[in-house]
């Protein structure tokens, strides 16, 4: 791999590390594990900075995906890496009836460790593609947020109209209430 932008990665269920990968030596795995123990269990993304490294976490449905990166890697590449790893892991091990739900500590290293390496290498080799993808995903998230706000406003306005008896024809059928416009 050579380049030191993505340094260490793991997948855990709770605080049990199921698979990990690195080509480098250092105390980043110890620091990452300490961070893991302090993470909230809610689905979210977290980044901590320490000694010119970022410790990036993605918590989703009881599993935690982590990558330690050099600060120069920015935030987009590590987060894109975590999303790729999550999608791959969930497709293979994520459901409650699959291996990830009952796997012992480090028991998926042989199978999933090489996948972590593969995803690291892809993200290191294609940062421009990762940046473009992240930009599009952010734009989609923004549009989704605006659409949700607009839908909420329409529903609120229609509810007010029904309550105050000023219901326009377009809101007929939006609510279970009868509209007597």
């Amino acid at each position: 791999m050579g380049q030191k932008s993505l340094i260490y990665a793991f997948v855990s269920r709770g605080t049990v590390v199921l698979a990990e990968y690195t080509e480098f030596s250092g105390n980043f795995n110890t620091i990452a594990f300490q961070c893991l123990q302090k993470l909230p269990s809610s689905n979210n993304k977290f980044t901590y900075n320490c000694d010119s490294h970022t410790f990036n976490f993605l918590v989703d449905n009881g599993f935690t995906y982590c990558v330690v990166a050099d600060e120069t890697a920015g935030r987009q590449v590590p987060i894109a890496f975590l999303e790729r790893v999550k999608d791959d892991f969930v497709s293979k091990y994520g459901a409650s009836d699959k291996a990830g739900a009952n796997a012992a500590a480090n028991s998926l290293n042989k199978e999933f460790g090489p996948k972590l390496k593969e995803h690291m290498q892809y993200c290191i080799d294609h940062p421009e593609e990762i940046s473009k993808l992240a930009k599009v995903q952010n734009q989609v998230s923004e549009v989704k947020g605006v659409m949700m706000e607009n839908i909420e406003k329409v529903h609120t306005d229609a509810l007010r109209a029904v309550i105050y008896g000023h219901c326009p024809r377009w809101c007929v059928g939006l609510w279970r209430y009868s509209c007597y416009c």
Side-chain angles (χ1 to χ4, degrees):
M1 195 176 294
Q3 231 177 340
K4 196 177 175 180
S5 58
L6 300 179
I7 299 168
Y8 170 72
F10 71 71
V11 177
S12 72
R13 183 188 64 247
T15 58
V16 177
V17 175
L18 304 176
E20 61 186 333
Y21 174 78
T22 189
E23 286 188 351
F24 304 100
S25 60
N27 67 342
F28 40 79
N29 57 347
T30 304
I31 296 169
F33 188 71
Q34 289 173 352
C35 292
L36 172 66
Q37 293 176 322
K38 296 177 182 180
L39 281 178
S41 60
S42 60
N43 292 354
N44 214 334
K45 297 173 187 164
F46 304 93
T47 299
Y48 301 103
N49 293 331
C50 180
D51 296 332
S52 299
H53 294 91
T54 59
F55 293 76
N56 305 274
F57 295 88
L58 171 62
V59 181
D60 187 68
N61 293 325
F63 292 99
T64 302
Y65 309 89
C66 172
V67 65
V68 178
D70 191 85
E71 275 184 341
T72 60
R75 184 151 159 78
Q76 288 180 339
V77 172
I79 295 299
F81 167 81
L82 293 175
E83 292 287 350
R84 289 175 59 88
V85 168
K86 179 191 81 155
D87 292 345
D88 194 5
F89 187 84
V90 167
S91 71
K92 291 183 174 104
Y93 310 105
S96 60
D97 62 335
K98 293 188 178 179
N102 302 311
N106 295 310
S107 64
L108 300 179
N109 270 346
K110 187 176 178 183
E111 286 180 58
F112 204 71
K115 285 293 192 180
L116 291 171
K117 178 182 180 178
E118 184 181 307
H119 288 299
M120 277 185 175
Q121 191 63 52
Y122 181 84
C123 290
I124 289 169
D125 291 345
H126 302 92
E128 66 288 338
E129 185 178 321
I130 298 298
S131 294
K132 287 178 187 177
L133 179 62
K135 185 177 180 180
V136 169
Q137 286 174 333
N138 286 339
Q139 289 172 339
V140 168
S141 292
E142 285 178 29
V143 169
K144 181 180 173 185
V146 169
M147 288 176 61
M148 294 303 289
E149 282 179 32
N150 289 340
I151 289 169
E152 183 65 31
K153 286 177 185 175
V154 167
H155 281 256
T156 301
D157 290 348
L159 182 58
R160 280 192 198 126
V162 168
I163 291 170
Y164 296 115
H166 304 296
C167 191
R169 297 269 179 224
W170 59 264
C171 80
V172 175
L174 283 178
W175 302 97
R176 286 179 247 184
Y177 308 108
S178 298
C179 186
Y180 298 106
C181 300

